[in-house]
Amino acid sequence: MQWRHKDLLDLDTLTAEEIRHIIKTAQPMKEILSRPMKKLPTLRGKNVVLLFYESSTRTRTSFETAAKILGADTTNFSVAVSSVNKGESLLDTAKTLQAMNVDLVIVRHSSSGAAEFLANVLEAGVINGGDGQHAHPTQALLDFYTLQEKLGGFEGKKIVIVGDILHSRVARSNVLGLKKLGADVTLVGPPTLLPDEMKYLGVKLSYDLDKELPGADAVMALRLQLERQQSGLFPSIREYSKLYGLSLERLKKTGKKTIVMHPGPMNRGVEIMSDLADSVQSVIEEQVTNGVAVRMALIYLLIGGGTGNVVD
Amino acid sequence: MEGIPKNRIMDEDGIRRAISRISHEIVEKNKGTKDLLLIGIRTRGVPLAERIQKRIAEFEKVTLPLGLLDITLYRDDLSTIDVQPVLHETRVPFSIEGKTVILVDDVLFTGRTARAALDALIDLGRPQKIQLAVLIDRGHRELPIRADYVGKNVPTSRREIVSVCLQETDGRDEVLLLEKKS
Amino acid sequence: MWWIKKALVLDPAQGYTGERDVLVKDGFILKVGNFLEEDVPEFFGQENLEGVKIVEAAGKYLFPGLIDVHVHLREPGQEDKEDIRSGSRAAVRGGFTSVLAMANTKPVIDQRALVEFVRLQGERAGMARVYPVAAVTKGFQGQELVEMMDIREGGAVAFSDDGLGIQNAEIMRLAFEYAKLTGCPIISHCEDENLAARGVMRRGEASARLGLKGIPASAESVMVARDVLLAGEAGGKLHIAHVSTKESVMIIRTAKKLGIDVTAEVNPHHLLFSDQDVGLTRTDLKVNPPLPTKEDQEALLEGLLDGTIDMLATDHAPHTWEEKAKPFPEAPFGINSLETALAVVWQELVEKGKLPALKVIELWSRNPAQRFNLPGGTLETGSPADLVLFDPAYKERITAESMESKAQNTPFLGQELQGFPVMTWVGGKLVMADRKVICN
């Protein structure tokens, strides 16, 4: 298995084999995270730019940690202190980065397609750290890593994803990848957050969480953007939580030792109750650790040498 | 590694004898097995280290701890090679602090792999001593590195390839000298 | 004076197609028919013969110049995208001899002086006839009506807040009522802003897949329904711009049956591209109303064929390269159309048998002339010699260098199309020949 991509933009372009290769590469990376001395010479002299147009402490920190452990230098190009506020276009920012000869750009942007846009302009590799409502491939891949570790595989496993599916790039990327890996995915949410058009994903859609829980091997809660209540997408947080909030009690309906996941940050008491979030069934903290390992793997795969086999 | 076979440097018995001699030398040089650890460099250093571990256990009745080292992330040629190496796990489930580490590899050539392995080891802790055991030393060093234990010295030209085959990885035990295809 | 020989004449006003000679004198159509060589000097008058230029037109179509009731020429205020000179040059190169220039400029065309400026800039350019469309409400605020009568005196032929939908139904109703004084139609940009909710493409599986905010079809259709009801109640003239949903077609069909004075246009891009063609970096296909579904396209074509939809119009909307070189959600809406619209309609609809050639000329010349009370749209004796000679075999690659428009935001950039105008006359004056605009 040889890595052939210059960029990681979404899961549409990855094969199941490639996803497994990423997971496999992340395993040795996780060993490195457990060492007292977490620093490698691998990417010495490589420059990784973190271009974050949306505030995100966890994802940015995760990428930064991953890049630094691999020995790369990181540069934060964050909105508040950059020329972005002076109205510089993404195109000009890209040209500036190109002129600085950076090796890898990690971008998060509120516009769907921003990562692909950058990748088309830049010679450097691009990792999509989340673009609009389109894709969040590294979150999905760390979820797959966690599922692989906990469930031992994907074939025939029942994964329930519950919450604001419509606005979730995490859900989109997860479903695309999980389908390729052979998992059985069900999406759950209220009709306003799980409209009919989501059937393009080709998985089961349901409005009734309690009906879908039996047999679930993993349940993933999505973060609810509380401000969506003001746009009328759901009547109240109280009702949402009553219908779709995950609790220890509710999870018993699976009839299994189901694991619970959340991409974070959590709204405790809304989409997930504290009793569950802090229980042994919760793998939420491990997701964070695995996130660093998976991002190390991706950074290594993209800029860790082997120039002869990149095709796109 | 593709090449045209020229001759056989070692057969199954030759390999067995060399391992046996190296095992004795390790114990002799270190005056016993106290604080000794074996670490095999992936890929073929690992079965060789296992064989040394087994041999020492036979005559010393002590099973030395054994670790696996993947040096990919420490290579100095990552940005120039054509094909990216696949990453494997490093598994050293014990502390190397203050110990004597016997690094085991199949072939000592330019010394760059050994250099990478030394860096990788030092990142895991501060051993008292590091010694290097190899099945074949074929010369052409590019770094000031030498082996403490050598199965066989084989003078080679740069146009030649030394191919070590082991039962565990290749299904047979032998060492071949090949001529590179031009 | 021109003697255009043996052209395949398409004249929907007189309902014929066939090989004929067309004679032009003093800027008007002198005669159309099959003439004997020796008879022609008499028609022009023997003393004028030296000034008669002959065009051998065998194998090429000749039709009344196209009238595009929906273009954005960006002047005044956004001359980096387009100006009236470049836009009207692009028009004649694309086969359009008259265009209706929308009012969403900076400032908005909401008073007589501005209307006259647009008209005069058109005259100065001396290319296609440029007819100003004035705003319905002052400053496009959707609150107070403009001085419609004064503005009509200044040369406006219609009123429209195109670019924005008028959200307040009572203002729209008043506009229909008051506009009766002028006899001019109100062109409605039907878009409910709450439903559209700053979406960037048609809402559906394609928008869900791309993670782009969707605009539901209802954002257009509910306003079409509202406006036909209001126009019916007030008794005004309504023209619906850029119809793009099957529901809108159905409503317009019903309204026409009820006798409501409504006409409608469809843009070629809505017939040729669907939401399935949109991609995250295809800002060239970002347009408002957004690209519809295949089902909508079928309904639109059916509407054109059965008379529910009266005309084709480009909604020519030039934007600079830098403005479109952005992530999809941030790029502006609009497709640059004047120089490619006829070619693609011909290549994709006429040649493929979906729309008869004569029907295209009816939709793009005769019907617009009648609805907006403009000269042209016919080859009758005495009508202005706004003519297009069209070569269905002419192939051309669309390039930035060859385009007259200042902007190149067309999805056909770099592509070869077949079927182009090779000569264009406005008022008997040759303004384009061999695909090049003629400067005086």
Side-chain angles (χ1 to χ4, degrees), chain A residues 10 12 89-91 95 109-114 116-117 120 131-134 166-167 172 192 195-201, chain C residues 200 202-214 279-283 321-331:
Chain A
D10 53 42
D12 306 47
S89 72
L90 190 57
L91 179 67
K95 285 180 178 168
H109 200 286
S110 57
S111 292
S112 299
E116 190 179 337
F117 177 87
N120 288 348
D131 64 328
Q133 296 166 13
H134 171 239
L166 174 62
H167 300 99
R172 281 174 172 78
T192 44
D196 270 358
E197 62 253 34
M198 297 308 292
K199 66 178 183 283
Y200 86 90
L201 284 167
Chain C
V200 296
R202 174 63 78 78
R203 182 169 183 168
E205 291 193 18
S207 70
R209 176 167 51 81
L210 299 171
L212 291 173
K213 189 154 176 45
L280 284 176
T281 55
R282 293 297 305 272
T283 57
W321 178 83
E322 307 88 82
E323 289 171 299
K324 282 286 193 179
K326 285 182 180 166
F328 195 94
E330 294 163 38

Side-chain angles (χ1 to χ4, degrees), chain B residues 8-174:
Chain B
R8 201 185 210 197
I9 305 168
M10 277 178 134
D11 59 10
E12 200 180 326
D13 285 339
I15 292 174
R16 184 175 45 76
R17 282 185 212 110
I19 296 285
S20 191
R21 180 170 49 75
I22 289 171
S23 304
H24 281 284
E25 283 176 11
I26 289 170
V27 177
E28 192 181 342
K29 185 165 181 172
N30 292 293
K31 300 184 173 66
T33 55
K34 187 168 179 291
D35 289 340
L36 281 188
L37 305 172
L38 289 164
I39 291 184
I41 300 173
R42 281 182 188 273
T43 306
R44 289 181 185 76
V46 175
L48 289 174
E50 283 166 354
R51 292 182 190 193
I52 292 170
Q53 181 193 41
K54 206 174 152 208
R55 190 72 194 93
I56 291 176
E58 279 167 21
F59 62 79
E60 287 290 315
K61 313 290 179 230
V62 174
T63 303
L64 299 182
L66 178 77
L68 283 58
L69 197 64
D70 184 79
I71 55 109
T72 306
L73 295 170
Y74 291 85
R75 284 172 67 150
D76 62 1
D77 58 352
L78 282 174
S79 54
T80 52
I81 48 172
D82 223 33
V83 175
Q84 187 176 50
V86 173
L87 205 57
H88 294 282
E89 202 174 358
T90 287
R91 198 186 310 138
V92 182
F94 41 76
S95 168
I96 62 168
E97 205 71 31
K99 307 285 184 181
T100 297
V101 174
I102 315 294
L103 264 179
V104 185
D105 203 359
D106 54 350
V107 180
L108 180 58
F109 182 25
T110 60
R112 287 178 191 270
T113 302
R115 195 281 308 158
L118 290 173
D119 283 354
L121 260 188
I122 284 162
D123 277 359
L124 296 176
R126 187 178 182 280
Q128 178 65 34
K129 244 184 245 173
I130 302 176
Q131 296 170 351
L132 179 61
V134 297
L135 185 62
I136 304 290
D137 183 348
R138 60 169 293 193
H140 303 288
R141 215 75 78 241
E142 292 169 2
L143 297 172
I145 281 173
R146 60 163 185 79
D148 298 271
Y149 314 99
V150 178
K152 187 168 187 169
N153 282 296
V154 181
T156 60
S157 84
R158 281 193 169 269
R159 286 194 41 78
E160 290 165 334
I161 297 165
V162 174
S163 167
V164 174
C165 303
L166 298 173
Q167 194 68 39
E168 297 89 326
T169 50
D170 313 282
R172 64 184 193 282
D173 271 6
E174 64 177 354

Side-chain angles (χ1 to χ4, degrees), chain C residues 20-193:
Chain C
R20 283 174 173 77
D21 287 9
V22 176
L23 310 183
V24 173
K25 191 180 178 219
D26 302 329
F28 295 92
I29 307 285
L30 181 64
K31 257 180 190 308
V32 179
N34 286 312
F35 310 116
L36 294 171
E37 292 275 328
E38 54 268 36
D39 291 345
V40 172
E42 208 169 305
F43 298 141
F44 282 110
Q46 290 290 350
E47 69 283 8
N48 295 324
L49 274 189
E50 249 175 58
V52 175
K53 290 177 202 146
I54 291 171
V55 177
E56 298 292 350
K60 300 186 178 81
Y61 290 93
L62 189 86
F63 45 78
L66 302 188
I67 299 172
D68 200 305
V69 302
H70 198 145
V71 304
H72 297 273
L73 299 184
R74 306 299 188 203
E75 186 181 355
Q78 295 176 308
E79 290 86 349
D80 52 333
K81 298 175 196 253
E82 193 81 289
D83 59 27
I84 291 170
R85 184 171 179 275
S86 65
S88 60
R89 288 167 67 93
V92 295
R93 199 162 172 272
F96 299 93
T97 53
S98 297
V99 293
L100 267 62
M102 286 297 170
N104 63 337
T105 49
K106 289 182 177 171
V108 161
I109 307 302
D110 60 358
Q111 39 186 302
R112 178 170 180 165
L114 290 163
V115 169
E116 294 200 354
F117 168 79
V118 171
R119 186 168 54 77
L120 285 170
Q121 285 294 77
E123 283 169 17
R124 284 186 194 113
M127 291 288 149
R129 302 173 198 265
V130 176
Y131 296 104
V133 174
V136 175
T137 66
K138 288 173 190 158
F140 270 34
Q141 294 296 308
Q143 287 162 6
E144 292 171 46
L145 299 183
V146 298
E147 297 169 331
M148 288 188 177
M149 286 303 280
D150 196 32
I151 281 173
R152 194 200 62 184
E153 296 299 313
V157 299
F159 298 93
S160 180
D161 280 5
D162 182 73
L164 292 175
I166 295 173
Q167 302 300 303
N168 184 329
E170 171 62 0
I171 295 297
M172 196 62 176
R173 195 190 62 79
L174 290 168
F176 285 126
E177 260 183 4
Y178 192 83
K180 285 197 280 186
L181 272 178
T182 68
C184 297
I186 305 266
I187 302 175
S188 179
H189 168 113
C190 290
E191 180 179 359
D192 182 299
E193 285 171 8

Side-chain angles (χ1 to χ4, degrees), chain A residues 39-115:
Chain A
K39 188 77 174 178
L40 297 166
T42 319
L43 300 181
R44 226 159 21 133
K46 300 272 184 190
N47 195 357
V48 175
V49 169
L50 300 149
L51 182 59
F52 274 61
Y53 287 84
E54 273 185 341
S55 60
S56 155
T57 314
R58 354 177 102 231
T59 307
R60 190 176 51 72
T61 310
S62 179
F63 271 115
E64 193 169 352
T65 306
K68 282 187 166 154
I69 291 175
L70 285 170
D73 291 314
T74 60
T75 308
N76 267 296
F77 198 105
S78 56
V79 183
V81 290
S82 73
S83 49
V84 172
N85 281 348
K86 296 174 201 156
E88 186 178 81
S89 72
L90 190 57
L91 179 67
D92 284 335
T93 302
K95 285 180 178 168
T96 305
L97 295 175
Q98 188 61 57
M100 290 186 216
N101 272 316
V102 304
D103 298 289
L104 182 67
V105 177
I106 292 150
V107 62
R108 167 167 288 197
H109 200 286
S110 57
S111 292
S112 299

Side-chain angles (χ1 to χ4, degrees), chain A residues 85-219:
Chain A
N85 281 348
K86 296 174 201 156
E88 186 178 81
S89 72
L90 190 57
L91 179 67
D92 284 335
T93 302
K95 285 180 178 168
T96 305
L97 295 175
Q98 188 61 57
M100 290 186 216
N101 272 316
V102 304
D103 298 289
L104 182 67
V105 177
I106 292 150
V107 62
R108 167 167 288 197
H109 200 286
S110 57
S111 292
S112 299
E116 190 179 337
F117 177 87
L118 266 187
N120 288 348
V121 184
L122 283 174
E123 279 170 43
V126 173
I127 295 181
N128 183 0
D131 64 328
Q133 296 166 13
H134 171 239
H136 194 351
T138 63
Q139 175 69 44
L141 289 164
L142 77 88
D143 290 339
F144 303 160
Y145 184 92
T146 308
L147 287 164
Q148 171 76 49
E149 252 188 6
K150 297 290 163 188
L151 305 180
F154 300 92
E155 206 63 51
K157 301 289 180 194
K158 182 174 179 184
I159 320 282
V160 174
I161 303 176
V162 55
D164 180 0
I165 310 290
L166 174 62
H167 300 99
S168 176
R169 54 193 174 207
V170 176
R172 281 174 172 78
S173 290
N174 258 290
V175 174
L176 291 174
L178 287 171
K179 272 178 67 185
K180 291 182 187 191
L181 294 167
D184 168 20
V185 188
T186 303
L187 298 174
V188 180
T192 44
L193 300 177
L194 183 61
D196 270 358
E197 62 253 34
M198 297 308 292
K199 66 178 183 283
Y200 86 90
L201 284 167
V203 297
K204 187 177 179 192
L205 311 183
S206 168
Y207 305 141
D208 187 344
L209 178 60
D210 292 325
K211 221 170 87 189
E212 304 308 329
L213 284 177
D217 295 285
V219 179

Side-chain angles (χ1 to χ4, degrees), chain C residues 208-246:
Chain C
R209 176 167 51 81
L210 299 171
L212 291 173
K213 189 154 176 45
I215 301 173
S218 58
E220 170 183 307
S221 315
V222 297
M223 288 304 238
V224 171
R226 183 198 75 173
D227 286 351
V228 296
L229 291 173
L230 293 173
E233 193 173 85
K237 286 186 182 172
L238 165 62
H239 175 77
I240 296 171
H242 42 55
V243 172
S244 73
T245 77
K246 58 184 190 296

